[in-house]
Amino acid sequence: DYSWMKLRNGSLKDMVPNHYQLGYLLTNYGYEKYGDDFWQKVTKDASAFKGLMYPFQRAVKSHSGVNFKTFRNDALQYYSHGIAKRRDDITKRETVTNYHYPQMIGQDSLVYLKNSYKSLPAFYIKSGDSERKIKLKRISSEDWFSYRNGLIAYTSYSTHARWSLEDYSDIILLNITTGAEEKITKRGKYYTPDISPDGNSILAVHINDSLQSELQLLSRNGELVKKIKAPAHSLFVHPRFINATTAIVGIRLPDATMTLQKFDLNTGRGENILPPTKATIGFTSVSQEKLFFVSSLKGNDDIYSLDLNNNGITKLTSGQTGFYYPTVSGNQITYSAFTANGFRLRTENLDALKGEVINQADFITAVDPVPVAQAETSSNLLKVPTRAFPVSTYRKGTGLFNFHSWTPFFDDPEFGFSIYSNNILSTFANDISYTYNRNEKSHSTAFNASYAGWFPVINAGVEYTWDRHVPFEGRTLTLNQTEGRIGFSIPLNATQGRLYKFFNLGSNFVINQYQPTGPLKDSVRVNNSNYMHYFGSLAFQLPRARQHIFPKFGFGTGQQVRQRIDERGYQYAGTGYFYLPSAFPTHSIVLSGSLQETDTSNIIFTNRFANSRGYSEYYFPRMWRGSANYHFPVAYPDFGFANIIYFQRLRANVFYDHTKMYYQDKINTEELRSVGTEIFFDTKWWNQLPISFGIRYSYLLDEELQGRTKKHVFEFIVPLDLIPR
């Protein structure tokens, strides 16, 4: 019985419907209750901010006649049934854990895919009461896998290195005994593969670039043997071998119905074994001349069996929440049952199930358990009006400037905000930003643009900085600075296997002018300088489970070099980090380091070095820092108020920082060390914006260079990656 803000924002400890699932119910209710134009009127008023505070809620009230709280409560009550009113007070809360696609591999052994809010998806074998992990699953766009004769077949995601929207889904074969894997396709678009009984063939759904669906029969080494095209505007789902030459396949038809067909793989011909129905059908498995599948025929996702000899149908389960992934061996059936703690395994004797005989005609007359608004036109492709549009060449310069959003950012020691623009093709992007550098107490405004239609991304920009404070001969020099730049970058995404992999490299030519101001303006002349800026970064890391603060393994580095062209002057700045596993599944160990070095007389380049926490910032010719961090969760409050702020997690970090700084001779040094703790609040603002903020306590182990004797420092902090940009 969760609060509205918990339903709206989600939870890190409990299974809560996401924004799509919840939004679908509210949207459907709005159409059904208030008419087909209800949401058009609501979104028009809300986007125009009619009523500055809570414009969406005001728009709902204006066009429904009830306040938003009443509207949403009425909507959820509209879908209410027995299970919705019976709270899970008898179920002990446990870590949400899901068991997907259990399959029998022996008399009392199962293989399945398991993941939880604390762990990444991995394949396991369960024998009796013992469980053995086979291997971590590769990054994939689906949970499906099939098993036969010691092999698991599933799909793995990868992407084009430069054009990330061009992605792939390839078939992987995993040996459950040795853990060895074999990728049998390359740059394919395969889904839901099944292994033939003899293990020599693979049957999978293939989707081409035009979103056309076909069955492809592949040999054990990935060679195409045969392909069968789906009917126009139809989609194949969940193929399963019956024997080496026959398969069962689900088909989603263009009139928003589904059916099951038996295909002769030699001839490519199929015949219906179920009539087209509005009920959903899927998650098939075959055992002993019977087909087991899941359908919503009676208003709930239940398991059915179909006799392949006479097409007789029996409904095996009756529940109020869904049952999925049936697998049968002998007289035992195992499946996953949906619970508040995730999809959990159940095993029963088939003889003990009180089956209900179902007529084929029941599928023909199936109706939706609740009314679906605009069902005939929204999901039935045959009822969508056909319209003809003139064809003309698209001008790539159309709508170059389209400012659409703004976000704050924080990249220590700089923070500010940016306003963003993208053209329709998203090949031309630009932003206007304001930045404050807390090291130098400077302000800057900038305009940046990039064109990404070519392999290298072309970048250009101009930035004006004022009131820079720079150490100069024992005093502080203030100056204003203007920079213009043009250059390129090559962002690469090599994600595949079990790691996300990102690379970026590039260079800029920069024209720089600084103008001294203040009392020392006559001590330094106005200077025009040109320099090259070279940069590169890479990152490798595992995905994160829902409760992981940081990945359980990963590393990355970023390197920047600025080199003057016309005279002596340079700056090097480099960072690196490691994510390491800990003894506790939701705890994170993070080791990081940074190094900055510049020539002893240079004042052109901004100080980009973050000192040990708690200390003031300094700009020495050479500085390095090492840090150790131990992050752990404290609580998951799942609490919010006024639809303004929602607290998902309270977490802490214990840290140690060590900075060493070198004077101009780069021999004499100073050390600044600190230890402390940080408390972070992971929140969502206005039910939408994820923001983490916190407080920091630092105990200084060394004195500040100015001779101050403070030991205890408290700070308000906004962590890195405030908002993904």
Side-chain angles (χ1 to χ4, degrees):
D1 189 10
Y2 299 139
S3 69
W4 167 253
M5 288 200 69
K6 184 165 180 174
L7 290 176
R8 180 64 182 84
N9 292 281
S11 172
L12 297 178
K13 66 177 180 180
D14 295 317
M15 180 180 288
V16 177
N18 64 30
H19 64 281
Y20 180 88
Q21 296 161 333
L22 179 64
Y24 181 90
L25 297 180
L26 297 184
T27 302
N28 186 68
Y29 172 76
Y31 282 134
E32 283 289 301
K33 179 74 173 179
Y34 300 105
D36 290 349
D37 62 346
F38 174 71
W39 289 113
Q40 180 181 357
K41 294 183 292 186
V42 168
T43 54
K44 181 179 180 180
D45 287 356
S47 61
F49 283 88
K50 289 189 176 181
L52 182 60
M53 300 298 292
Y54 303 103
F56 176 76
Q57 288 87 337
R58 286 174 177 264
V60 169
K61 182 177 181 180
S62 174
H63 297 288
S64 69
V66 297
N67 62 42
F68 184 68
K69 182 178 181 180
T70 300
F71 173 86
R72 74 191 190 220
N73 288 340
D74 289 347
L76 295 178
Q77 183 65 30
Y78 178 73
Y79 302 103
S80 178
H81 52 86
I83 191 64
K85 296 176 180 177
R86 191 202 75 198
R87 299 306 173 191
D88 237 350
D89 52 0
I90 62 172
T91 300
K92 179 183 177 182
R93 279 191 177 178
E94 301 172 348
T95 299
V96 175
T97 304
N98 298 307
Y99 296 81
H100 296 289
Y101 299 98
Q103 294 172 58
M104 296 284 188
I105 60 174
Q107 185 66 27
D108 62 347
S109 298
L110 283 173
V111 60
Y112 46 77
L113 177 69
K114 184 176 80 168
N115 73 294
S116 76
Y117 279 14
K118 294 182 179 180
S119 62
L120 295 175
F123 297 106
Y124 291 82
I125 290 178
K126 183 177 182 180
S127 298
D129 294 329
S130 65
E131 182 182 70
R132 176 176 67 87
K133 182 177 177 180
I134 303 172
K135 199 160 193 174
L136 198 66
K137 183 174 181 282
R138 295 190 181 201
I139 297 169
S140 178
S141 60
E142 61 180 2
D143 294 323
W144 172 282
F145 79 94
S146 67
Y147 169 82
R148 278 245 172 75
N149 303 326
L151 288 179
I152 286 174
Y154 71 102
T155 58
S156 174
Y157 169 88
S158 62
T159 180
H160 187 283
R162 174 62 182 88
W163 313 110
S164 294
L165 290 180
E166 184 178 329
D167 55 18
Y168 314 104
S169 181
D170 287 299
I171 299 173
I172 306 296
L173 297 182
L174 166 64
N175 187 305
I176 66 169
T177 302
T178 65
E181 287 186 327
E182 181 184 359
K183 184 177 179 180
I184 66 169
T185 64
K186 184 177 181 181
R187 295 194 170 187
K189 296 256 187 180
Y190 293 98
Y191 302 94
T192 60
D194 190 42
I195 305 175
S196 64
D198 60 9
N200 294 324
S201 301
I202 310 293
L203 186 64
V205 175
H206 181 269
I207 307 292
N208 64 20
D209 292 336
S210 299
L211 302 183
Q212 294 171 326
S213 172
E214 61 185 23
L215 278 180
Q216 288 198 1
L217 182 65
L218 308 172
S219 67
R220 172 66 174 72
N221 59 9
E223 293 181 357
L224 178 62
V225 176
K226 191 176 187 61
K227 57 184 179 181
I228 303 170
K229 291 186 177 181
H233 308 300
S234 298
L235 179 68
F236 285 132
V237 294
H238 300 169
R240 288 289 194 185
F241 279 101
I242 298 176
N243 52 51
T245 60
T246 312
I248 294 290
V249 186
I251 305 180
R252 197 279 191 186
L253 301 171
D255 64 351
T257 62
M258 294 191 71
T259 186
L260 284 175
Q261 285 197 349
K262 181 192 293 186
F263 274 90
D264 185 320
L265 298 178
N266 291 326
T267 64
R269 294 178 180 175
E271 60 174 322
N272 285 1
I273 59 173
L274 273 185
T277 176
K278 286 187 176 182
T280 57
I281 301 170
F283 304 124
T284 54
S285 67
V286 178
S287 177
Q288 301 171 358
E289 296 298 316
K290 285 191 176 181
L291 171 70
F292 299 87
F293 63 95
V294 177
S295 177
S296 63
L297 176 64
K298 297 294 185 178
N300 187 71
D301 288 338
D302 281 303
I303 298 173
Y304 295 74
S305 69
L306 184 148
D307 192 313
L308 293 174
N309 295 315
N310 57 28
N311 286 356
I313 304 171
T314 303
K315 180 173 176 285
L316 298 177
T317 62
S318 294
Q320 295 174 301
T321 59
F323 304 115
Y324 305 92
Y325 324 133
T327 181
V328 173
S329 178
N331 193 41
Q332 280 193 332
I333 180 171
T334 300
Y335 54 91
S336 294
F338 179 81
T339 75
N341 293 322
F343 291 86
R344 296 304 177 95
L345 291 178
R346 289 187 186 176
T347 299
E348 299 184 72
N349 288 326
L350 281 172
D351 294 341
L353 296 177
K354 297 179 180 180
E356 175 188 353
V357 176
I358 302 295
N359 296 319
Q360 291 259 343
D362 292 345
F363 284 91
I364 300 175
T365 58
V367 297
D368 296 313
V370 294
V372 177
Q374 305 173 352
E376 286 301 311
T377 56
S378 63
S379 59
N380 186 344
L381 298 180
L382 302 179
K383 296 293 182 69
V384 176
T386 300
R387 293 183 292 169
F389 297 91
V391 177
S392 61
T393 301
Y394 183 81
R395 298 171 66 92
K396 293 185 177 181
T398 302
L400 284 180
F401 295 96
N402 175 34
F403 290 96
H404 52 77
S405 59
W406 69 275
T407 63
F409 64 84
F410 188 89
D411 192 3
D412 192 24
E414 296 180 334
F415 59 89
F417 67 89
S418 295
I419 303 172
Y420 297 100
S421 168
N422 293 84
N423 67 335
I424 294 175
L425 296 179
S426 287
T427 54
F428 182 67
N430 42 81
D431 67 82
I432 300 172
S433 64
Y434 163 79
T435 304
Y436 176 75
N437 186 306
R438 67 186 184 92
N439 280 0
E440 299 184 348
K441 301 178 176 62
S442 64
H443 308 263
S444 65
T445 58
F447 172 78
N448 297 289
S450 62
Y451 177 72
W454 300 327
F455 189 84
V457 178
I458 306 303
N459 305 297
V462 60
E463 180 177 20
Y464 176 68
T465 304
W466 67 95
D467 206 23
R468 282 188 63 196
H469 290 67
V470 180
F472 180 74
E473 297 180 354
R475 294 178 290 177
T476 299
L477 171 68
T478 60
L479 53 88
N480 299 336
Q481 181 173 292
T482 303
E483 277 193 354
R485 64 175 178 84
I486 186 169
F488 75 94
S489 63
I490 304 177
L492 301 176
N493 181 351
T495 295
Q496 62 176 327
R498 292 166 182 82
L499 295 174
Y500 293 114
K501 306 171 187 176
F502 302 100
F503 306 85
N504 189 27
L505 57 92
S507 178
N508 289 307
F509 171 69
V510 183
I511 300 174
N512 176 283
Q513 180 191 73
Y514 65 82
Q515 171 73 55
T517 62
L520 298 180
K521 65 180 181 179
D522 296 328
S523 302
V524 180
R525 63 183 176 87
V526 176
N527 193 299
N528 296 318
S529 178
N530 303 328
Y531 68 88
M532 295 299 298
H533 172 212
Y534 308 98
F535 57 89
S537 65
L538 63 87
F540 292 73
Q541 64 185 54
L542 286 171
R544 287 188 295 175
R546 192 167 181 83
Q547 291 185 0
H548 288 174
I549 299 173
F550 293 99
K552 302 303 288 183
F553 174 77
F555 61 91
T557 183
Q559 310 292 323
Q560 298 186 65
V561 176
R562 291 169 172 83
Q563 178 70 54
R564 294 180 67 175
I565 296 175
D566 45 1
E567 54 185 288
R568 182 172 175 266
Y570 73 91
Q571 182 195 67
Y572 165 79
T575 61
Y577 63 85
F578 284 93
Y579 299 134
L580 300 175
S582 65
F584 301 95
T586 59
H587 294 203
S588 298
I589 299 172
V590 182
L591 306 179
S592 62
S594 58
L595 171 65
Q596 179 175 280
E597 183 162 348
T598 183
D599 61 303
T600 55
S601 61
N602 177 49
I603 60 173
I604 291 177
F605 305 119
T606 300
N607 183 10
R608 294 172 171 84
F609 184 82
N611 204 355
S612 293
R613 280 163 276 197
Y615 289 96
S616 302
E617 305 300 334
Y618 302 98
Y619 198 175
F620 277 64
R622 177 186 295 163
M623 299 182 287
W624 62 257
R625 167 186 163 181
S627 298
N629 302 267
Y630 188 86
H631 297 265
F632 56 94
V634 176
Y636 301 94
D638 284 350
F639 167 78
F641 59 87
N643 284 306
I644 295 177
I645 183 172
Y646 176 76
F647 293 88
Q648 283 192 308
R649 176 170 56 193
L650 175 66
R651 56 186 171 92
N653 174 38
V654 179
F655 67 83
Y656 169 75
D657 288 345
H658 189 154
T659 294
K660 194 167 188 176
M661 303 180 296
Y662 295 75
Y663 286 95
Q664 291 187 0
D665 58 10
K666 296 189 178 179
I667 298 176
N668 295 304
T669 63
E670 298 281 355
E671 291 189 354
L672 299 177
R673 299 166 299 156
S674 65
V675 296
T677 186
E678 298 167 328
I679 302 295
F680 293 102
F681 299 89
D682 294 330
T683 66
K684 280 191 178 181
W685 289 74
W686 301 289
N687 297 319
Q688 182 66 32
L689 189 64
I691 293 180
S692 295
F693 62 89
I695 55 175
R696 174 189 296 149
Y697 164 71
S698 303
Y699 179 77
L700 309 190
L701 301 176
D702 300 291
E703 290 189 359
E704 289 268 23
L705 300 190
Q706 294 91 341
R708 288 178 289 179
T709 58
K710 64 179 180 180
K711 288 291 186 181
H712 308 279
V713 178
F714 292 90
E715 298 172 288
F716 179 79
I717 53 175
V718 179
L720 298 177
D721 298 326
L722 173 66
I723 297 175
R725 288 186 285 162

